[in-house]
Amino acid sequence: MNRFDLNARLADIHRQFPAAQCQPVIGITGNYADLNCKLGEGYYKQVIAAGGTPLIIPPSADPSVIISTLERVDALLLSGGADINPLYQGEEPVPRLGGINQERDLPELLITRLAFQRQLPILGICRGIQTLVTALGGRVEQHIDTTVKHSQEADRSEPTHSITIDKDSTLYNIYCGDSNLFTINYSLFVNSFHHQAVSEPGPHFRVTARATDGIIEAIESTEYKPIIGVQWHPECLGEDGLPLFQWLVGQAQQFHEVKQLHSRILTLDTHCDTPMFFPQGVHFDTRDDRLLVDLHKMTEGRLDATIMVAYLPQKEWCLADGQWQKNSEGVMPREFADHIFDKIGQIVSQNTPYLAIARMPDELWANKRTGKKSIMLGIENGLALQGNLANIRHFRERGVVYITLCHNGDNDICDSARGNETHGGVSDFGQQVIREMNRQGLMVDLSHAHERSFYDALDISETPIVCSHSSARALCDHPRNLTDDQMRALAHRGGVCQITLYNGFLVKDGEATILDAMRHLDHAIQVMGIDHVGLGTDFDGDGGVRGLADASELVNFTRQLLARRYSEQDIQQIWGGNFLRVMQQVQSVR
């Protein structure tokens, strides 16, 4: 072939369909000097060698540019370069600080934080590892004092010193696989070029490799996220540096699959307590650190819908001489719930291009097709009925889809898992409540219910029952969790158990993580079957664990499902399909 024959080359490309295989796109931050955005060839050549498509990102601090870029890439590679201005860490520069690059600092700190919020895979190289910790709460030493020469004159393709990699790390698995070839930490020869280095990794990272003088050479996520930072330059090490890029491209491919999957399925969190924060003056359309669920976090985590509940604290109201008393603020239970639903309505009306109320499963899908997030309404604690069956219809007409019969204390409907067994299960009034909820097409929610109340309600209800936020007692012995027998009974009657992220319901002692949540989900599936499980986070009601800390991290739940080889149909069932099936069945009686 004539090397200058363009048409022949195009003919080769178009000889088959598709013309090229789809590859994950790796955004690489560009260096800047002499009025030019530039990039060392090793970065993009290693990405290509690893099977990715490189995209150079110029150093722009424009938020529209950054966010639009992040929507189009599947991973972020933070490239090397000059030092970071110490003022971003609240420090004055020391005399031995190297050259800084003001064109890069702010754009890269912004893109790192925004990529982190969107759960993108990230690899930081040299300056990139320092950018990671500066953007995410760690510290960088401006000039390191060391016994190892970390700024070498040798060609960058030549390793110049050794580092030790922790055996219990992703980095170890990248270089050693799953083999037990090394029973101790693994030594690797690298080519670090720097005098600025990480001194404290910060809350999101742990150290996984050090040089012989103790200098931090690698960090990775403590939250089960695909993020690694290295101090050396793998882009210059050819085949020896390629494994890191293969890891990044592999993670980018998985993230691309997650994004595509979320575009096809509907994701529903069946329980959040965000309205509890309304009195603090929060704004749902801002990324508010006080909230675990807001419009930004739902978007970042690709969550389509959530059921927001009006939670009624058990001790706020009491019966005296058969009459309901107002709470300390002079409000009756029904009025309290109505105020919350009014506030949700205001939030939706202020964000109509992006947010809508949904009452039925079909409305959730319709909102998703028009690019809107959905809020459904629930009640947590049947106290809201105020002892009056007519209020069931009132709340159904307001759009409520379920009522959690009780909370942490017995009420006039039933005994609580954390109550005093006042009725020995469901009360006489509670029987009437369940039957009227059946007639009105409201789901009966038995999270928080005592075991006797649970079985009573199963016998009374003519439609399937839900547990909107409960986990497995076999794995964590807590009265709020369901026993295996309860799970089987619930499934037998067509109901669902929505695994929750409350720490104390996942582990008896210590800190729960995303892996504990997955263990509870897997157990529930083994006991109940794939048709009877889901996720009810309890976000903003003390729910949230490491790796699934707020709504922005919910794509990590999907990552875990894919890693466990659940099919797309299974994932849709878990991500709300089962719950919506029950909702459809319950509402069909209207």
Side-chain angles (χ1 to χ4, degrees), residues 204-239:
H204 300 288
F205 300 105
R206 66 185 181 100
V207 177
T208 55
R210 292 182 184 269
T212 55
D213 57 0
I215 295 299
I216 295 171
E217 291 276 0
I219 59 173
E220 65 185 55
S221 171
T222 58
E223 300 160 332
Y224 306 95
K225 299 178 182 180
I227 307 176
I228 292 178
V230 298
Q231 189 59 66
W232 68 93
H233 284 270
E235 79 280 7
C236 299
L237 293 176
E239 289 293 325

Side-chain angles (χ1 to χ4, degrees), residues 460-527:
I460 297 164
S461 181
E462 296 179 359
T463 59
I465 277 173
V466 301
C467 290
S468 67
H469 58 303
S470 297
S471 292
R473 199 180 303 184
L475 301 185
C476 180
D477 187 10
H478 192 288
R480 268 283 283 107
N481 286 339
L482 301 184
T483 67
D484 286 0
D485 285 343
Q486 284 179 286
M487 285 185 172
R488 280 187 281 265
L490 185 63
H492 181 71
R493 295 295 302 273
V496 292
C497 171
Q498 306 294 104
I499 298 301
T500 193
L501 302 181
Y502 186 84
N503 190 94
F505 301 160
L506 295 177
V507 295
K508 196 67 175 175
D509 300 298
E511 180 193 10
T513 73
I514 185 174
L515 299 184
D516 295 300
M518 302 311 296
R519 284 195 308 118
H520 279 258
L521 177 73
D522 290 339
H523 179 83
I525 290 171
Q526 289 171 6
V527 174

Side-chain angles (χ1 to χ4, degrees), residues 9 60 69 78 101-102 112 127 129 204 229 294 303 307 327 385 403 510 544 550 565 572:
R9 302 230 173 222
S60 169
T69 299
L78 299 167
N101 191 326
Q102 69 273 17
T112 299
R127 170 191 164 92
I129 187 177
H204 300 288
D294 57 41
L303 177 64
I307 300 180
N327 68 1
L385 299 178
I403 298 176
D550 60 41
R565 301 188 182 281
Q572 176 59 93

Side-chain angles (χ1 to χ4, degrees), residues 137-434:
R139 307 293 298 178
V140 170
E141 189 73 31
Q142 294 185 45
H143 183 87
I144 57 174
D145 293 313
T146 174
T147 58
V148 171
K149 189 174 183 182
H150 287 263
S151 184
Q152 309 287 342
E153 288 77 23
D155 186 87
R156 293 199 175 189
S157 63
E158 180 73 17
T160 53
H161 72 281
S162 66
I163 63 170
T164 301
I165 300 175
D166 290 355
K167 190 178 192 310
D168 181 24
S169 68
T170 300
L171 194 59
Y172 178 94
N173 291 333
I174 290 171
Y175 281 97
C176 305
D178 296 325
S179 72
N180 292 318
L181 177 63
F182 301 96
T183 58
I184 59 174
N185 294 339
Y186 173 64
S187 292
L188 183 71
F189 294 101
V190 299
N191 60 344
S192 300
F193 288 80
H194 64 101
H195 62 91
Q196 205 176 52
V198 175
S199 58
E200 298 174 20
H204 300 288
F205 300 105
R206 66 185 181 100
V207 177
T208 55
R210 292 182 184 269
T212 55
D213 57 0
I215 295 299
I216 295 171
E217 291 276 0
I219 59 173
E220 65 185 55
S221 171
T222 58
E223 300 160 332
Y224 306 95
K225 299 178 182 180
I227 307 176
I228 292 178
V230 298
Q231 189 59 66
W232 68 93
H233 284 270
E235 79 280 7
C236 299
L237 293 176
E239 289 293 325
D240 291 338
L242 188 59
L244 271 169
F245 294 88
Q246 291 172 327
W247 169 83
L248 182 65
V249 169
Q251 294 296 324
Q253 179 62 47
Q254 186 189 77
F255 187 61
H256 180 79
E257 292 172 7
V258 168
K259 291 191 294 183
Q260 294 297 105
L261 181 59
H262 273 252
S263 72
R264 297 190 297 268
I265 68 172
L266 181 78
T267 54
L268 170 67
D269 171 10
T270 61
H271 189 93
C272 82
D273 282 290
T274 305
M276 288 175 60
F277 288 83
F278 290 170
Q280 297 184 23
V282 297
H283 294 279
F284 194 72
D285 58 346
T286 67
R287 199 176 197 281
D288 196 317
D289 289 341
R290 292 171 292 180
L291 297 179
L292 300 187
V293 182
D294 57 41
L295 197 50
H296 285 269
K297 296 185 184 78
M298 288 182 72
T299 302
E300 293 158 1
R302 299 174 188 271
L303 177 64
D304 295 313
T306 187
I307 300 180
M308 283 190 184
V309 298
Y311 159 63
L312 283 79
Q314 184 67 26
K315 296 180 180 179
E316 286 284 308
W317 292 273
C318 64
L319 281 166
D321 298 325
Q323 299 296 316
W324 285 92
Q325 305 299 304
K326 295 181 179 181
N327 68 1
S328 58
E329 297 176 351
V331 178
M332 296 290 275
R334 176 182 135 161
E335 182 184 9
F336 182 87
D338 278 334
H339 283 171
I340 290 173
F341 298 143
D342 289 344
K343 179 61 177 178
I344 293 173
Q346 292 172 15
I347 290 170
V348 170
S349 67
Q350 292 164 1
N351 296 277
T352 50
Y354 316 109
L355 198 58
I357 296 288
R359 297 165 178 251
M360 299 178 292
D362 287 350
E363 293 176 342
L364 293 175
W365 282 104
N367 290 340
K368 181 179 176 72
R369 285 191 291 271
T370 57
K372 294 183 178 184
K373 303 297 183 186
S374 295
I375 294 177
M376 285 185 148
L377 306 180
I379 291 175
E380 188 170 26
N381 199 340
L383 282 179
L385 299 178
Q386 211 170 295
N388 187 345
L389 292 177
N391 284 329
I392 296 174
R393 179 166 186 168
H394 165 76
F395 285 122
R396 190 260 291 170
E397 291 175 345
R398 291 226 59 171
V400 169
V401 296
Y402 72 66
I403 298 176
T404 312
L405 296 188
C406 63
H407 194 253
N408 291 337
D410 304 341
N411 61 16
D412 57 338
I413 296 173
C414 68
D415 293 342
S416 164
R418 304 175 83 171
N420 298 313
E421 301 186 42
T422 304
H423 310 289
V426 172
S427 70
D428 292 341
F429 174 66
Q431 294 183 45
Q432 298 177 59
V433 167
I434 292 170

